[in-house]
Amino acid sequence: MIDTRRLRTLRAVADHGTVTAAAAALHLTPSAVSQQLVALEHEVGHRLFTRDGRGVHLTAVGKIMLGHANEVLAQLERAEAEVAAYTAGEAGEVTVACFATAISAVLSPAISVLREIAPGVQVRVLDAEGDHSLAMLLDSEADLAITVEYRGAPDASDRRLSRLPLYAEPFDLVLPHDHALVESATLMSLAAETWIGPYPGNPVHDVITFACQQAGFTPNFAHCSDDFRAVVALVGAGAGVALVPRLALRDMVLPGVVVRDTPGPERRVFAAVRRGADSHPVVRPLLSALRRVAASLGTG
């Protein structure tokens, strides 16, 4: 009989690439993780990983087992959801990992809606950039993640997750008010400019870089901040130019800058839960509230 706890360990090691990182995510010691992997290999009767100096890699049998582990763990999520629905009703706490703009744009309004449709559900919010929130979800540090499409993100076919598209928002050019191209700026015309934007690794950094590369150049990021208010303040001080998601600019005081729309880049935002958990009685009403808020959200 295969121990499902060892299947969770298998998936964590596959997700993180090293025993040490998986152990940290699972709140175990590296030796405990290694022991669970060895025990699982004995249960299966095959090697599941190969090891080198940089980490561990799934064998062919390991990949087969990972596919089944995703199915088994999803079924366990569904079982827990059904039991919770039967025994507890729609009452409990949902932990949500979400980036700052989406907290303001969709999550906070959804919490207000939730008070009307499921007053017994409480939401705990963790501020996390899009590239961190999915890892937190898969490591069970969060029950729901609100994140963005980015290079390297699990796609819609990922068997570990269920996804709910929320909204897509364009990016706007933010220029100093006295910029020579303030009336006619395009991405291509700003190729030689100093750029201000999020740090590498932030999904928005990837979107901006890709949009500029599509226009024929790689932006020179001389100043970096993950806080869009700081980005806009630097533009207002004449330190450079920026592309900023439109909702991040909403209700922001914008002294010394001019905002111009530009065709092309978009930030696509979605909610995700572990597969099978979307029917959980405390998760389901939050997804419904998010869907309602997103449908009324003007991003154009």
Side-chain angles (χ1 to χ4, degrees):
M1 182 70 69
I2 294 174
D3 189 327
T4 56
R5 293 173 299 177
R6 292 169 185 156
L7 294 180
R8 293 187 190 278
T9 303
L10 168 71
R11 186 161 79 175
V13 174
D15 285 344
H16 292 278
T18 69
V19 169
T20 301
L26 294 169
H27 305 290
L28 298 172
T29 64
S31 62
V33 169
S34 295
Q35 288 170 12
Q36 290 202 26
L37 293 180
V38 170
L40 182 59
E41 288 179 330
H42 286 159
E43 289 174 340
V44 175
H46 291 274
R47 290 287 299 276
L48 302 177
F49 292 94
T50 59
R51 295 164 175 80
D52 60 31
R54 292 171 295 179
V56 294
H57 307 280
L58 288 170
T59 64
V61 174
K63 292 176 182 178
I64 292 171
M65 285 302 302
L66 179 62
H68 288 289
N70 288 332
E71 294 294 330
V72 169
L73 295 175
Q75 187 61 39
L76 288 175
E77 292 279 358
R78 283 189 285 269
E80 290 176 3
E82 290 184 18
V83 170
Y86 179 78
T87 60
E90 294 184 352
E93 183 179 84
V94 184
T95 299
V96 181
C98 180
F99 61 97
T101 302
I103 291 174
S104 299
V106 289
L107 182 55
S108 294
I111 291 173
S112 296
V113 171
L114 199 62
R115 289 199 187 99
E116 301 173 7
I117 64 174
V121 176
Q122 302 299 314
V123 179
R124 175 172 173 255
V125 179
L126 303 176
D127 188 340
E129 289 300 331
D131 55 333
H132 295 150
S133 59
L134 284 178
M136 295 170 69
L137 175 66
L138 291 170
D139 289 339
S140 297
E141 296 176 29
D143 304 304
L144 186 149
I146 298 177
T147 185
V148 300
E149 300 284 2
Y150 61 93
R151 284 184 287 188
D155 62 24
S157 65
D158 193 294
R159 294 159 63 185
R160 299 169 297 174
L161 301 171
S162 295
R163 296 167 34 134
L164 171 67
L166 294 176
Y167 63 89
E169 63 175 319
F171 282 65
D172 290 326
L173 280 170
V174 184
L175 309 170
H177 71 94
D178 57 355
H179 194 282
L181 298 177
V182 73
E183 297 296 336
S184 59
T186 63
L187 278 183
M188 187 176 297
S189 70
L190 299 172
E193 296 287 334
T194 297
W195 282 79
I196 307 163
Y199 284 98
N202 186 311
V204 173
H205 181 97
D206 287 347
V207 173
I208 295 170
T209 300
F210 182 72
C212 292
Q213 289 172 343
Q214 291 291 97
F217 70 97
T218 298
N220 171 30
F221 285 102
H223 312 287
C224 291
S225 174
D226 289 332
D227 184 338
F228 290 118
R229 292 184 182 276
V231 169
V232 172
L234 286 168
V235 174
V241 301
L243 271 173
V244 178
R246 183 164 296 172
L247 287 176
L249 293 170
R250 189 174 65 175
D251 302 325
M252 190 185 295
V253 177
L254 303 171
V257 304
V258 173
V259 178
R260 294 283 182 261
D261 61 3
T262 184
E266 282 188 328
R267 177 161 70 167
R268 297 186 176 275
V269 179
F270 64 93
V273 298
R274 291 182 296 277
R275 188 173 169 214
D278 46 346
S279 60
H280 194 287
V282 297
V283 172
R284 187 175 59 244
L286 178 55
L287 288 172
S288 177
L290 287 168
R291 188 181 293 109
R292 183 191 301 185
V293 171
S296 66
L297 193 62
T299 56

